Amino acid sequence: MVLLHVLFEHAVGYALLALKEVEEISLLLPQVEECVLNLGKFHNIVRLVAFCPFSSSQVALENANAVSEGVVHEDLRLLLETHLPSKKKKVLLGVGDPKIGAAIQEELGYNCQTGGVIAEILRGVRLHFHNLVKGLTDLSACKAQLGLGHSYSRAKVKFNVNRVDNMIIQSISLLDQLDKDINTFSMRVREWYGYHFPELVKIINDNATYCRLAQFIGNRRELNEEKLEKLEELTMDAAKAKAILDASRSSMGMDISAIDLINIESFSSRVVSLSEYRQSLHTYLRSKMSQVAPSLSALIGEAVGARLIAHAGSLTNLAKYPASTVQILGAEKALFRALKTRGNTPKYGLIFHSTFIGRAAAKNKGRISRYLANKCSIASRIDCFSEVPTSVFGEKLREQVEERLSFYETGEIPRKNLDVMKEAMVQAEEAAAEITRKLEKQEKKRLKKEKKRLAAIALASSENSSSTLEECEVSSRQPLPLGEDLKP
């Protein structure tokens, strides 16, 4: 006869329940469905064998994290080993989560079952749990569930803080928006200032440099030899600075009033500040990518890698994608249009912006894009699931793409992937050890600073307390003023 036990995880603890007088589990489903809502009938089927309450909210959070990750916690192990029969083959344990059931079956050897009648029994246990456990009320159970829910949510949000990729998604989106805005505003400055100095448009092509020059020159009639040095500094080209000076003397532009120049200079300064902020944002994005996805950024570049992460939604989602999806990521409209019209499907999506695609010949663009997508998929998985992410694998994968590109051009046979990965493993272990060593040094320095700060605070507080005592003694020794008598 197989004994059926049910494991129920609650915010207040683990509960182990047994089914009374059950021979065939499959025959139990209709009865359970009928009596789940009736407490009296449900008591005739289920009885509480053991209840293991959590000692604190921290222990409850640890157990909830372990259950969600499919790990058998020590509290759960102790409960099962203590209250389940020793003959494991005669025991069938019902659990709600298949992951924790697989872990219990692997580590403890009990046969586990999910779904079907187990789901109905757990539904009834969840409904009548405060009546099954003595001393537990419905209100206290709800409070425990609410508190554990808040703690669990906060822990999930704080999980993996250093490798969070939301900042990368927002940064690359803002960077793309800034590029569009800066181009639009720069064209407005070119048109506006071009009425006064039209020759400057042909000399200067860069938008940010043009806005700086429009802000510096102002009225072209005031441009002279004294400002030539500053022009060379802005343009970083002596020939262009000389050409601007010559063009200002023979310009065909219209005269402009002072108030118009003030508005043009003000707007140019805004565009210049936007371009400077764009540079700082790009630097920030590079630093975040080097922390979160160093291999992907070393392989395909920070901007393209960040766009892939943003389009996928997160680094984890990108790591789950196959290489065929990564290859056409960003070209979904073209893909569905090709499927609808039965035309040729696109060869590349966002990875088209990589330098490898541009360097490949026209006949090899599809091949190199497929190969590059394969390496991007590998790099994203390494970044997502490695404990200490390094750029070693990304550099080795980049070397492989370079060798494949030269193979298509010259026919030189590239190295085998196994040999390259062996080299990368050795270098990655060294790099990870170096990073761990640096982190330990930083932590030691931080602890020393914290210790000195606490010692300084303690010393200052002791000095303040001693000075207060001295003031009290001095005030007690001072004589009373004349005319005042001590009262008993």
Side-chain angles (χ1 to χ4, degrees):
M1 181 178 175
V2 177
L3 300 175
L4 176 62
H5 289 75
V6 177
L7 175 67
F8 181 70
E9 308 93 9
H10 196 270
V12 295
Y14 293 115
L16 188 65
L17 304 104
L19 270 71
K20 300 177 182 178
E21 301 177 358
V22 177
E23 296 179 358
E24 295 286 340
I25 300 172
S26 59
L27 298 177
L28 188 67
L29 186 57
Q31 290 93 323
V32 172
E33 289 177 350
E34 290 177 4
C35 68
V36 157
L37 299 177
N38 192 326
L39 179 61
K41 292 183 179 179
F42 192 70
H43 268 297
N44 294 331
I45 295 177
V46 176
R47 72 178 170 84
L48 183 67
V49 174
F51 175 65
C52 177
F54 298 135
S55 58
S56 64
S57 59
Q58 184 65 30
V59 176
L61 180 60
E62 291 176 3
N63 281 271
N65 288 327
V67 169
S68 66
E69 294 170 7
V71 178
V72 180
H73 196 269
E74 287 300 322
D75 295 342
L76 179 58
R77 183 192 297 271
L78 182 62
L79 173 71
L80 296 178
E81 289 179 348
T82 305
H83 295 94
L84 283 179
S86 58
K87 295 182 179 180
K88 299 181 179 180
K89 291 183 179 180
K90 292 186 177 182
V91 177
L92 184 62
L93 182 64
V95 293
D97 190 359
K99 288 196 297 184
I100 193 67
I104 291 172
Q105 191 165 352
E106 182 180 353
E107 295 186 22
L108 302 180
Y110 294 106
N111 293 325
C112 295
Q113 182 179 343
T114 58
V117 68
I118 303 300
E120 291 297 326
I121 294 171
L122 288 175
R123 187 164 68 92
V125 173
R126 191 176 296 108
L127 183 63
H128 305 295
F129 185 70
H130 57 281
N131 294 316
L132 294 172
V133 179
K134 291 182 179 180
L136 182 66
T137 62
D138 190 15
L139 182 62
S140 59
C142 290
K143 286 183 178 180
Q145 286 176 330
L146 184 63
L148 181 60
H150 282 258
S151 302
Y152 183 76
S153 301
R154 280 195 294 268
K156 284 296 180 184
V157 170
K158 291 179 181 178
F159 178 69
N160 217 354
V161 176
N162 296 324
R163 294 171 60 184
V164 66
D165 44 14
N166 294 326
M167 305 304 168
I168 291 175
I169 295 171
Q170 296 298 328
S171 299
I172 193 63
S173 301
L174 180 57
L175 203 62
D176 292 339
Q177 188 64 43
L178 278 176
D179 287 337
K180 294 178 183 178
D181 293 344
I182 289 171
N183 286 333
T184 305
F185 295 156
S186 299
M187 291 305 299
R188 185 62 54 206
V189 172
R190 283 175 179 269
E191 290 182 10
W192 200 355
Y193 191 66
Y195 292 123
H196 177 62
F197 195 179
E199 291 81 8
L200 186 62
V201 176
K202 297 179 180 178
I203 300 172
I204 302 298
N205 295 322
D206 184 58
N207 289 331
T209 307
Y210 185 92
C211 293
R212 289 190 181 93
L213 286 171
Q215 183 183 2
F216 170 71
I217 294 171
N219 193 342
R220 71 171 193 276
R221 297 184 183 279
E222 299 177 0
L223 194 62
N224 50 32
E225 295 287 345
E226 296 177 357
K227 297 182 179 180
L228 185 61
E229 185 178 353
K230 183 66 175 178
L231 282 177
E232 291 179 3
E233 183 181 342
L234 290 173
T235 58
M236 293 183 290
D237 191 345
K240 284 186 178 181
K242 184 66 176 172
I244 292 170
L245 184 61
D246 295 339
S248 67
R249 292 169 179 170
S250 61
S251 176
M252 298 294 292
M254 60 179 282
D255 291 335
I256 195 167
S257 63
I259 189 66
D260 294 332
L261 276 176
I262 290 172
N263 282 288
I264 292 172
E265 289 173 2
S266 176
F267 187 51
S268 301
S269 65
R270 297 292 179 92
V271 179
V272 169
S273 63
L274 273 179
S275 61
E276 290 174 353
Y277 173 65
R278 195 252 178 216
Q279 293 292 332
S280 64
L281 184 63
H282 188 264
T283 306
Y284 166 76
L285 179 64
R286 290 181 62 183
S287 65
K288 293 299 289 184
M289 282 293 291
S290 64
Q291 295 173 8
V292 177
S295 295
L296 187 63
S297 50
L299 171 62
I300 203 171
E302 292 85 4
V304 183
R307 286 190 179 91
L308 287 173
I309 292 173
H311 199 82
S314 67
L315 181 62
T316 306
N317 291 346
L318 183 63
K320 292 177 182 178
Y321 286 162
S324 57
T325 304
V326 175
Q327 182 181 351
I328 59 171
L329 204 63
E332 288 83 5
K333 288 184 179 180
L335 174 65
F336 292 122
R337 185 172 60 247
L339 293 174
K340 188 176 180 180
T341 59
R342 296 185 180 180
N344 293 328
T345 55
K347 297 177 182 177
Y348 27 67
L350 290 170
I351 62 173
F352 177 76
H353 299 287
S354 173
T355 56
F356 295 113
I357 308 294
R359 287 162 51 193
K363 63 179 181 179
N364 296 324
K365 285 186 183 292
R367 296 176 181 175
I368 200 68
S369 67
R370 184 168 62 249
Y371 189 79
L372 180 61
N374 182 16
K375 298 304 176 186
C376 286
S377 181
I378 294 172
S380 61
R381 289 166 188 173
I382 291 171
D383 289 330
C384 183
F385 301 112
S386 59
E387 295 180 0
V388 183
T390 62
S391 60
V392 174
F393 288 99
E395 293 167 0
K396 290 295 181 181
L397 293 171
R398 186 180 181 86
E399 290 176 8
Q400 283 188 290
V401 180
E402 293 278 1
E403 291 174 2
R404 183 56 63 100
L405 195 61
S406 64
F407 168 70
Y408 290 143
E409 294 174 357
T410 62
E412 183 182 354
I413 299 175
R415 292 177 294 171
K416 291 184 178 180
N417 185 58
L418 182 63
D419 299 334
V420 177
M421 287 298 107
K422 283 181 179 179
E423 295 178 9
M425 286 293 292
V426 175
Q427 295 181 14
E429 289 177 359
E430 296 175 357
E434 184 66 25
I435 291 172
T436 306
R437 209 161 32 243
K438 288 182 180 179
L439 291 175
E440 289 176 354
K441 285 184 180 179
Q442 291 176 0
E443 185 66 20
K444 286 181 180 178
K445 288 181 180 179
R446 189 189 66 80
L447 291 174
K448 284 183 180 179
K449 288 182 180 179
E450 186 69 18
K451 192 174 180 180
K452 287 181 181 179
R453 188 181 67 83
L454 293 174
I457 292 172
L459 182 62
S461 62
S462 63
E463 289 177 355
N464 290 335
S465 62
S466 62
S467 62
T468 306
L469 289 173
E470 289 176 0
E471 289 176 0
C472 292
E473 290 177 359
V474 169
S475 61
S476 62
R477 291 171 186 171
Q478 289 178 354
L480 290 172
L482 294 173
E484 293 187 3
D485 295 331
L486 291 174
K487 295 181 181 181

